[in-house]
Amino acid sequence: MTIIERLGVEQPVVQAGMGGGVSRHRLAAAVSEAGGLGTIAVQGAAAIRAELAAARSLTDRPVAVNLLLPFARRSWFEEAARADAVVTFWGRPRRHTPGVWLHQVGSLAEARAAHEAGADGVIVQGVEAGGHVRGTTPALDLLAQVRSAIPALPAWLAGGVATAQDVSRALDAGAEAAVAGTRFLLTEESRAHPLYKERLLAADRTILTTLFGLGWPAAAHRVAPNEATDRWLARSGAVPAPLRLLNAGSGLGARYLPAEIEARLVRRQRPSSRLLTPQAPTDDLTARLVEGGPLYAGETVARIDTVLPAGEAVRSLSRR
C-alpha cells in the first residue's frame, strides 16, 4: 500500500508546502477536498494550530503540514503532529512526529539519510523546482537514482509538474505521487499577492540564486525576474560580494530573530535594499515586495498561463 493510499488520498497529486504564508488553509483544504493532498506552510506553533483547525473546518480529508528544519521549534512539531502527514525540508532528517513523515531531498545521499532516519518516504526534488531548491539534477534523474539504490523507499517527485502528462511521467518512472508548487501558487485560493500572480503569468524564465538570503544564507532558490534581480545580479547570475557577506552574517541566530524586527525588515524591503529577506509577496503584505522580494517559481512557470480554482487545478493534473 502506498503512502497516498494509507492517507486515504484519492489522487496522486500533492500541493507543495509553499512557505511564507502562500499556502494556508483555504488552498490546502481546496486541494484535499478535490482529491489531492493539500499542504499548509506557516511559521509558529500558533499559526500552525490555527491554520490546521481552519482547514479541518473546510474538509474532513487528509491535510499535510510542511516545516523548514532550520527554523522549526519543538512546539511547531507538536502542533504539526495533528496533521495527517508532516513534510520536513532542509536539514538533517530526524523523526519529530509519530505519524506519516516525509523528508524532501535533493540528492541520493540525502535520500539515504532520510531512509536511515526512519522516514516513511521522501520527496525527490529536481533542480527545476521553484522556491528553495536542494536538487542539483533533474527530478526524473534523481528519482531514477533513488529508486535504483533504495527500491523499498517510497518516493514522491517534485519539480517540473504542471500538467497531467507530467504527473503520468512521474508515476510511470516509479513515483507514488507528484508534487506541484507553481501550478498551485497560481490558483485563486493561493495567498500569493495578485501582482505576484500577474508577474508569473507573464514570466518566461526563472533564475536560480541566493540573492534573497537574509537569515537563510547559501540556500539556493528559484525565482522569476523582477526589479531586485535586475538591479543586483550580474550577467553571470552572481550575487554581489557585499550582499553575500550580509547574508552570511545574518545566518547566526536567525531563527531567534524577534518577529517584530523581521516584519519591519519586510515592510522596508525594496529593490534597492541590501537586506533582502526570503519573504514571498503575499496578499496581506506590501505590494513593494513584488519588485523587492523573491518571486518564487519553478521552470514550469513558462507553461502556465491561467489562474485556476485549486480544485480545477487538481482535476487538470489528475487526468491521465
Side-chain angles (χ1 to χ4, degrees):
M1 180 180 291
T2 68
I3 295 174
I4 288 291
E5 291 169 338
R6 284 172 54 193
L7 291 172
V9 176
E10 295 176 2
Q11 299 290 344
V13 173
V14 179
Q15 168 239 316
M18 295 169 285
V22 171
S23 51
R24 302 186 211 177
H25 68 274
R26 283 189 63 235
L27 176 58
V31 170
S32 293
E33 189 66 15
L37 179 63
T39 307
I40 291 167
V42 293
Q43 293 195 17
I48 294 168
R49 180 171 59 254
E51 290 293 325
L52 190 53
R56 298 292 195 205
S57 73
L58 297 175
T59 184
D60 59 1
R61 298 191 177 189
V63 175
V65 166
N66 183 89
L67 294 175
L68 295 171
L69 292 177
F71 307 101
R73 305 183 188 184
R74 178 180 297 178
S75 60
W76 300 20
F77 285 104
E78 291 172 354
E79 296 300 335
R82 302 173 188 270
D84 299 277
V86 173
V87 175
T88 56
F89 187 37
W90 212 284
R92 184 173 66 85
R94 183 164 68 88
R95 180 174 287 280
H96 293 271
T97 54
V100 173
W101 165 48
L102 296 101
H103 186 67
Q104 184 159 288
V105 304
S107 67
L108 177 57
E110 290 185 348
R112 290 187 190 279
H115 185 46
E116 292 169 0
D120 295 287
V122 293
I123 299 175
V124 295
Q125 185 198 51
V127 68
E128 63 268 61
H132 285 84
V133 183
R134 295 289 287 183
T136 58
T137 59
L140 286 169
D141 291 350
L142 179 56
L143 176 64
Q145 293 175 27
V146 172
R147 296 291 299 130
S148 176
I150 323 171
L153 180 63
W156 300 353
L157 179 141
V161 178
T163 67
Q165 291 73 28
D166 299 327
V167 175
S168 293
R169 277 191 287 270
L171 300 181
D172 292 343
E176 290 190 356
V179 182
T182 308
R183 173 61 281 178
F184 286 114
L185 188 152
L186 288 168
T187 59
E188 294 174 1
E189 293 86 350
S190 156
R191 295 296 299 271
H193 195 285
L195 295 178
Y196 180 5
K197 295 178 184 180
E198 286 184 17
R199 290 299 299 269
L200 293 197
L201 290 176
D204 59 4
R205 68 186 180 94
T206 57
I207 304 166
L208 190 62
T209 183
T210 58
L211 179 63
F212 302 97
L214 191 72
W216 197 2
H221 40 273
R222 186 175 296 282
V223 298
N226 63 0
E227 289 184 21
T229 61
D230 291 346
R231 177 185 179 94
W232 291 110
L233 295 182
R235 288 182 179 272
S236 64
V239 178
L243 270 67
R244 291 202 308 273
L245 291 172
L246 281 171
N247 287 346
S250 72
L252 300 173
R255 65 181 295 184
Y256 301 109
L257 185 70
E260 59 271 18
I261 295 179
E262 186 175 350
R264 191 181 310 153
L265 288 170
V266 170
R267 287 195 300 271
R268 293 179 176 178
Q269 190 163 324
R270 293 168 173 76
S272 59
S273 299
R274 291 177 180 269
L275 302 177
L276 295 171
T277 76
Q279 175 61 53
T282 54
D283 59 9
D284 53 355
L285 292 175
T286 173
R288 285 195 299 269
L289 274 179
V290 175
E291 296 300 339
L295 302 181
Y296 298 122
E299 290 183 354
T300 58
V301 73
R303 298 193 276 129
I304 301 173
D305 58 8
T306 55
V307 174
L308 298 174
E312 188 173 334
V314 172
R315 289 186 285 275
S316 73
L317 291 165
S318 304
R319 299 189 186 113
R320 298 193 65 185

